[in-house]
């Protein structure tokens, strides 16, 4: 589902939005993307937690924003903060704007990733409301400034083509391996679980924790 040409096009749309995507440029981007290094997961929760939950999420996905507003606080307080679950969010990039947001989330370092991620989901409707790429980028900068980043820091992160290629490759490798076709999708233990009401998800989590005992 995640072809190299898709990855190349996404990389080109971020790094050189005004560049005509001719065959030579696409071939070059494909080569660079395939040679990029993957980046490690950023985890929350105890390293020895009996259960790991992975969420595949896109910063431009409305259902993902709803999950983070309604269910993420419950998951975090009941399971992550109590040492029962180790949580990992893996970014999915369906478009260049989502990649811009993903780069911003990592721009402040691993310690700020989840805080910035929360801000992106909380204000998703607002920052996505820009009528052009420049307006959306300006809205994202406001979030970065609120998170303590400088203008220069954000510019350097967005201009770092190597980071963009690494994030795209990481997304491609992980999402292909886990056969991710929609967001949000969860891997609870070894089971792929689609988004669902909290009571249903809580039951799955509790059953997996009981199996782990």
């Amino acid at each position: 589902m995640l072809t190299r040409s898709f990855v190349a096009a996404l990389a080109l749309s971020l790094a050189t939005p005004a560049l005509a995507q001719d065959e030579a440029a696409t071939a070059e981007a494909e080569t660079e993307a395939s040679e990029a290094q993957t980046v490690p997961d950023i985890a929350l929760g105890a390293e020895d937690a009996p259960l790991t939950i992975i969420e595949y999420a896109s910063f431009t996905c409305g259902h993902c924003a709803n999950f983070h507003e309604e269910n993420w606080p419950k998951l975090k307080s009941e399971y992550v903060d109590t040492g029962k679950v180790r949580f990992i969010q893996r970014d999915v990039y369906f478009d260049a704007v989502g990649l811009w947001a993903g780069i911003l989330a990592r721009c402040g370092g691993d310690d700020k990733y989840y805080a910035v991620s929360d801000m992106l989901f909380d204000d998703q409707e607002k920052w996505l409301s820009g009528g052009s790429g420049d307006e959306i980028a300006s809205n994202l900068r406001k979030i970065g400034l609120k998170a303590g980043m400088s203008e220069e820091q954000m510019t350097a992160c967005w201009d770092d083509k190597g980071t963009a290629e690494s994030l795209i490759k990481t997304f491609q490798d992980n999402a292909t391996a886990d056969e991710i076709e929609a967001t949000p999708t969860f891997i609870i233990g070894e089971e792929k679980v689609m988004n669902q009401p909290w009571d249903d998800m809580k039951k799955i989590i509790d059953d997996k924790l009981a199996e782990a005992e």
Side-chain angles (χ1 to χ4, degrees):
M1 55 167 275
L2 301 171
T3 65
R4 288 177 61 200
S5 59
F6 168 81
V7 174
L10 190 55
L12 280 169
S13 68
L14 173 79
T16 52
L19 179 65
Q21 295 184 20
D22 57 22
E23 291 183 3
T26 300
E28 180 183 356
E30 285 179 357
T31 300
E32 291 171 347
S34 66
E35 294 175 350
Q37 300 295 312
T38 57
V39 296
D41 290 324
I42 302 173
L44 277 181
E47 292 185 9
D48 60 351
L51 181 65
T52 296
I53 296 177
I54 299 170
E55 178 197 5
Y56 282 89
S58 165
F59 288 116
T60 58
C61 161
H63 292 298
C64 299
N66 290 338
F67 169 81
H68 278 263
E69 178 183 2
E70 298 171 6
N71 292 344
W72 167 238
K74 302 171 188 175
L75 174 59
K76 185 174 185 298
S77 64
E78 294 182 33
Y79 295 98
V80 179
D81 292 345
T82 56
K84 298 176 182 177
V85 163
R86 188 161 177 80
F87 178 83
I88 296 168
Q89 179 178 309
R90 288 181 176 170
D91 299 342
V92 172
Y93 311 121
F94 290 132
D95 45 47
V97 173
L99 180 57
W100 297 348
I103 291 172
L104 181 67
R106 286 183 174 261
C107 190
D110 289 2
D111 290 344
K112 287 189 175 182
Y113 171 76
Y114 282 101
V116 177
S117 175
D118 286 345
M119 294 169 71
L120 288 166
F121 283 122
D122 289 344
D123 294 340
Q124 184 192 82
E125 185 174 347
K126 184 176 180 180
W127 65 262
L128 274 177
S129 66
S132 67
D134 287 343
E135 290 178 1
I136 291 174
S138 178
N139 291 341
L140 287 172
R141 283 185 181 275
K142 293 175 184 177
I143 292 176
L145 290 171
K146 191 184 299 185
M149 301 178 211
S150 67
E151 293 277 3
E152 294 77 14
Q153 182 180 3
M154 287 183 281
T155 297
C157 287
W158 280 322
D159 284 348
D160 187 345
K161 188 176 180 182
T163 293
E165 291 164 354
S166 292
L167 290 177
I168 293 169
K169 179 173 174 55
T170 302
F171 147 60
Q172 180 192 35
D173 289 356
N174 288 335
T176 299
D178 286 332
E179 300 181 344
I180 303 302
E181 298 179 352
T183 56
T185 297
F186 304 87
I187 308 296
I188 303 179
E190 300 296 325
E191 180 180 352
K192 183 164 70 173
V193 176
M194 305 309 293
N195 192 31
Q196 52 196 278
W198 172 247
D199 288 345
D200 296 333
M201 183 171 288
K202 179 178 172 62
K203 183 180 186 308
I204 295 172
I205 295 171
D206 289 339
D207 288 347
K208 293 293 184 182
L209 283 170
E211 292 174 5
E213 290 180 353

